[in-house]
Amino acid sequence: MRRIAVLLALAALGGVVASLAWRWWTAPPRARAATLAAAAAAVPAQADGLVAIAEPDRALRWLVRRPQALGLLALAAPDAHAALPRMRAILAALARDARGPLTLWWRGPDVAVAASVDPAAGRSLAELAAIEGVPLRSTPDGGGVTIAAASAAALLDGGPGTGPEDGPRRELAALARHGTRWWQLEAGRDRLELVSGVPPELPRATGPSVLTTSDLAALAAMAGSGAGLPHAAARLAVAGHDWALGLPATVPSAQLQRILSLGGDTAADAGAHHWRGLLGDLWSAPPPGFAVASSPEMLAAVAGAPPAGEAGAVRGADLAAACERAADALERVPWLASRAAALRRAAPLAAGVRLARWRVTPAGGRIVLEW
């Protein structure tokens, strides 16, 4: 009995040790905000944007389990997406060997990355860059070397920029700049929060998922699909396979109304109309503005004055359903088949996020992703 008790105690101890080791291995990245600010300040001032990442090897492990967070980088630097495959090998090697923060910056279609490594790793990285055909510069930094590589050598030129003003948080997962706006990133096991300036209150996640924007075309362009959309304030709501779109400051043309109601135009409750047209059955709200929905109940979700700024409270399940529905519609147009396929690939990723909420104003911004 005594031997069994000892074995049970050892098994319990082993379980505790394994659990603690796993929690350490999967813990989110973190570094002093001042350290990240110094790394960000060393990036050439010509960069359109940058991100300084704490504990890059740990950050990669965190991102493997939460790949949706990379969507924020894609939105911030949509033109640089094509350069990332060329930089993938050098980026992974730098993340593995970095002795401190890793900085990533971009300008137009090009991207660059830098980190401090030990001299032996620096020599290996130089050989890798030569194989990959990636421009690289090595600078001694006191016991090690700072390796900077880019998809275009011009991105390594120019004097350093300036870091952000001191923020209230002592430790961060990353520090980013988009244009002239600085963002502080704090990561948890199932949460990522970005804060800029004076953080506004987030919209509540009640009822359908709702997204509001002051410029629909600009927002869609960030996702690579803004062609043909108006530069107008908009409100979009999604609940499962139901949806609604409101353009409160837009007057629809008579031609558009005819296209949407070719199969019939029937008066409904509260001044709404039931249209049958190229997009199937739609319900439209009475003026002012223009609002259509897949069901009459959804019209209320997009009612109201024109929104100012960008905000949203979107459930991943609703976004995934919207991707699938949009893909179904795009597949009817032969030359949009590739975009439909991209939406279908995005749907499972969207479903992996429990909730995304954000609000961005001229004074500040706040973005929260929850898994």
Side-chain angles (χ1 to χ4, degrees), residues 255-282:
Q255 181 182 8
L256 176 61
Q257 293 188 50
R258 283 196 300 271
I259 291 174
L260 296 178
S261 60
L262 286 173
D265 183 348
T266 306
D269 295 337
H273 279 252
H274 179 197
W275 290 344
R276 294 183 178 88
L278 293 181
L279 297 182
D281 288 299
L282 294 178

Side-chain angles (χ1 to χ4, degrees), residues 5-100:
V6 171
L7 290 175
L8 289 175
L10 289 175
L13 179 60
V16 170
V17 171
S19 177
L20 291 175
W22 175 251
R23 287 186 64 82
W24 174 85
W25 179 256
T26 59
R30 183 171 296 180
R32 291 181 60 84
T35 302
L36 294 173
V43 170
Q46 62 175 325
D48 294 336
L50 65 90
V51 57
I53 304 169
E55 298 182 294
D57 56 340
R58 188 179 296 277
L60 282 179
R61 295 198 297 268
W62 189 90
L63 286 168
V64 165
R65 299 188 302 278
R66 300 163 189 84
Q68 299 87 353
L70 291 173
L72 296 174
L73 181 59
L75 290 174
D79 296 334
H81 179 73
L84 287 176
R86 183 184 176 195
M87 298 292 296
R88 185 174 292 127
I90 198 80
L91 177 59
L94 264 178
R96 179 195 63 215
D97 297 330
R99 302 190 305 170

Side-chain angles (χ1 to χ4, degrees), residues 2 142 173 199 208 236 288-289:
R2 185 176 180 181
L236 176 65

Side-chain angles (χ1 to χ4, degrees), residues 33 37 40 42 53 59 64 73 126 215 223 231 239-241 245 267 283 287 311 319 367:
I53 304 169
V64 165
L73 181 59
D215 190 334
H231 289 278
H241 289 283
L245 172 65
W283 277 260
L319 183 57
I367 303 170

Side-chain angles (χ1 to χ4, degrees), residues 96-260:
R96 179 195 63 215
D97 297 330
R99 302 190 305 170
L102 179 144
T103 52
L104 179 75
W105 67 97
W106 56 91
R107 187 182 66 181
D110 292 308
V111 63
V113 62
S116 175
V117 300
D118 62 50
R123 290 189 291 271
S124 298
L125 285 163
E127 294 174 0
L128 177 61
I131 294 172
E132 297 290 329
V134 173
L136 179 142
R137 292 183 184 175
S138 176
T139 307
D141 61 9
V145 292
T146 295
I147 297 294
S151 59
L155 207 54
L156 302 176
D157 296 329
T162 57
E165 297 180 359
D166 292 339
R169 307 189 185 199
R170 295 183 179 180
E171 291 188 325
L172 298 170
L175 185 65
R177 175 175 64 80
H178 183 240
T180 59
R181 186 189 288 260
W182 287 94
W183 292 87
Q184 299 180 48
L185 285 73
E186 188 169 2
R189 293 188 178 276
D190 298 305
R191 177 185 173 94
L192 177 65
E193 181 174 6
L194 295 80
V195 172
S196 175
V198 180
E201 183 178 353
L202 290 173
R204 295 182 179 180
T206 58
S209 295
V210 177
L211 175 156
T212 63
T213 177
S214 57
D215 190 334
L216 178 61
L219 179 66
M222 294 177 67
S225 58
L229 294 175
H231 289 278
R235 188 175 282 108
L236 176 65
V238 181
H241 289 283
D242 284 326
W243 61 272
L245 172 65
L247 302 171
T250 300
V251 177
S253 66
Q255 181 182 8
L256 176 61
Q257 293 188 50
R258 283 196 300 271
I259 291 174
L260 296 178

